[in-house]
Amino acid sequence: MRDEREQRFATIALSGSLRPASRWLPGSIKPQIEPDRAPQDIGKTLKRIARRLAADCALEAIDTETSADVYLGTALNLPLENESADAVVTSPPYYVTYDYLDVQRLTYLAFGWDLPAHDQIGRRYFISPDGFGFVPPSSMKAWYERYRKEETVLGRALRAYLNDLDAHLGEVQRVLAPHGIVAYAIGNSKRREETFDLAAALAELMVRRGFNDVEVVTRGQGTRRILPSGRDLKTGRFSSQTTSVVDERIVWARAPKGEKPTANQHF
């Protein structure tokens, strides 16, 4: 294809057709093989995804009154000016529960792209032991000790994840206008039959940063799900046969008062 827009369209359509044509568990962003699942014909799935994508593009073209700007950046380096945002609405990774690069593994393999695992918040691997000065939020202290701190992959991953979230909140603090709002969708899960309270950890990090009116509320569950309906309490394996244990929450807060950090400041 010589037309650049057609190339991008075809790339997205093909990427979206890979999962249905695999043995991965349907209805889940977590890459997990469903042994009894028969893959669909990729030719049929490609046509279906392409038609759906074309319909979405057509609907977007109808609305000519709304404008939007798209910036390329990262959660740790927001390409925005100081105090330029009225609100930040997002959903951070749920620790190592979701690997947002691994779930696109089929696409990276299909196109021969390098997997930039080092750049991901919530990564499990490629983390050097370095817990000097790290003080986990109270809800994560027991888990950090249970994972034997820097001696295990999960301990290092938890420390890196929480440090990255804290650094991200520093960037949010920089770009938010006075009285700006933040809203994070995050989920608590069950590990070893105990609550892994990420929402409380995020709320505590916000309080440390000086955010105001921090509040954690239950998020209503719709019919469309990112994950299958259940997860085994002991193994953590997702299945359509077990009881759901993902507890979705919304963490709200207002911009902190006082002096704002400058762009690219390290925390």
Side-chain angles (χ1 to χ4, degrees):
M1 293 181 178
R2 296 182 179 181
D3 186 88
E4 185 178 350
R5 289 180 300 176
E6 290 183 358
Q7 289 178 8
R8 293 198 297 264
F9 182 92
T11 299
I12 296 173
L14 181 56
S15 174
S17 69
L18 293 173
R19 170 65 76 87
S22 75
R23 294 174 60 207
W24 282 4
L25 184 66
S28 171
I29 68 167
K30 197 171 183 67
Q32 177 179 311
I33 290 176
E34 185 79 353
D36 299 329
R37 183 167 187 260
Q40 301 177 25
D41 181 90
I42 193 169
K44 295 179 180 179
T45 61
L46 178 57
K47 290 180 181 179
R48 184 173 70 250
I49 296 298
R51 292 191 184 104
R52 185 185 305 166
L53 181 61
D56 289 342
C57 292
L59 287 174
E60 290 294 330
I62 293 175
D63 184 1
T64 58
E65 300 297 325
T66 302
S67 63
D69 295 321
V70 179
Y71 299 89
L72 180 63
T74 72
L76 300 179
N77 187 11
L78 300 175
L80 300 172
E81 298 294 330
N82 292 356
E83 300 187 0
S84 62
D86 294 318
V88 173
V89 181
T90 185
S91 178
Y94 296 2
Y95 179 40
V96 297
T97 300
Y98 306 159
D99 189 322
Y100 289 90
L101 293 175
D102 195 33
V103 298
Q104 301 296 333
R105 189 195 321 159
L106 296 177
T107 297
Y108 280 91
L109 289 172
F111 295 106
W113 296 339
D114 293 329
L115 201 68
H118 292 84
D119 297 333
Q120 181 178 202
I121 295 179
R123 62 193 181 279
R124 182 186 292 262
Y125 303 110
F126 311 110
I127 303 171
S128 300
D130 182 15
F132 180 76
F134 173 61
V135 180
S138 55
S139 66
M140 291 290 111
K141 183 177 180 180
W143 288 101
Y144 186 55
E145 294 176 351
R146 184 175 298 173
Y147 290 147
R148 304 203 308 277
K149 299 182 178 180
E150 300 297 304
E151 297 180 16
T152 66
V153 168
L154 289 178
R156 295 191 294 272
L158 183 58
R159 181 259 305 165
Y161 170 77
L162 293 169
N163 278 344
D164 284 345
L165 272 187
D166 180 62
H168 161 69
L169 289 173
E171 270 290 87
V172 172
Q173 178 181 353
R174 177 183 67 80
V175 304
L176 269 182
H179 307 297
I181 299 293
V182 293
Y184 288 81
I186 195 166
N188 296 330
S189 60
K190 290 286 186 179
R191 294 174 181 269
R192 302 181 184 181
E193 301 186 2
E194 295 183 25
T195 299
F196 195 75
D197 200 341
L198 286 180
L202 176 59
E204 185 172 333
L205 290 177
M206 286 181 168
V207 171
R208 289 184 186 181
R209 281 282 176 180
F211 283 82
N212 301 315
D213 304 324
V214 179
E215 183 180 2
V216 180
V217 298
T218 301
R219 180 188 183 191
Q221 295 295 299
T223 56
R224 297 185 63 182
R225 301 186 57 83
I226 294 176
L227 293 168
S229 59
R231 188 181 187 196
D232 189 278
L233 295 177
K234 294 183 178 180
T235 66
R237 188 173 179 82
F238 290 91
S239 169
S240 58
Q241 304 300 320
T242 53
T243 302
S244 177
V245 295
V246 178
D247 178 19
E248 297 284 345
R249 301 297 177 96
I250 299 292
V251 184
W252 303 85
R254 292 188 180 274
K257 299 178 181 179
E259 184 180 351
K260 300 274 186 176
T262 58
N264 301 319
Q265 177 177 336
H266 295 288
F267 302 94

